[in-house]
Amino acid sequence: MTITLISLLRDCDQKMMHPGFPRRIPNAQCPMTEKPTYPNFDNLINQTDTEMQRLGWTKAQGREHLMKYYGVRSRLLLTEDELDNFLLYLQLTDSPAQDQGGF
């Protein structure tokens, strides 16, 4: 049985529940890893970048959301399903309110 860095990271970040999505227990001892190898990774990263920009989120706000709901500081540590769920969350989130001037 071969143990990979990815499997060690996933074991390190045990899953809990997020409202409607998986959640991980934060664990500061988990190391960063290289870019995941699943085929859809680059596409999901590009789409989440676009949605975060649409929402006006900073990288710090993105990290805060990932820590709160997934227990990780980087999208590199999300599974493909978790990254897809994060993208769905961003897509379903309304863009920031525009200044309505005079209201």
Side-chain angles (χ1 to χ4, degrees), residues 7-99:
S7 66
L8 288 173
L9 288 168
R10 291 198 179 117
D11 289 342
C12 187
D13 288 333
Q14 300 170 12
K15 292 185 180 180
M16 288 178 59
M17 294 304 295
H18 170 286
F21 300 116
R23 179 179 174 174
R24 295 171 182 245
I25 299 171
N27 187 337
Q29 302 304 314
C30 293
M32 289 297 296
T33 185
E34 295 179 14
K35 175 179 153 182
T37 58
Y38 49 83
N40 202 21
F41 177 76
D42 289 327
N43 183 41
L44 290 171
I45 289 296
N46 290 335
Q47 288 183 55
T48 56
D49 284 342
T50 299
E51 290 299 319
M52 287 173 63
Q53 185 175 25
R54 176 185 66 83
L55 294 170
W57 282 23
T58 63
K59 289 181 181 184
Q61 287 171 302
R63 277 193 295 275
E64 182 178 318
H65 181 86
L66 292 177
M67 281 301 297
K68 182 176 181 180
Y69 293 106
Y70 297 96
V72 298
R73 289 181 43 86
S74 172
R75 293 173 290 177
L76 291 173
L77 297 174
L78 296 176
T79 65
E80 185 172 12
D81 286 340
E82 289 168 334
L83 188 53
D84 190 50
N85 288 337
F86 178 49
L87 173 61
L88 180 61
Y89 171 81
L90 294 171
Q91 289 171 333
L92 295 174
T93 300
D94 290 333
S95 58
Q98 300 295 320
D99 183 9

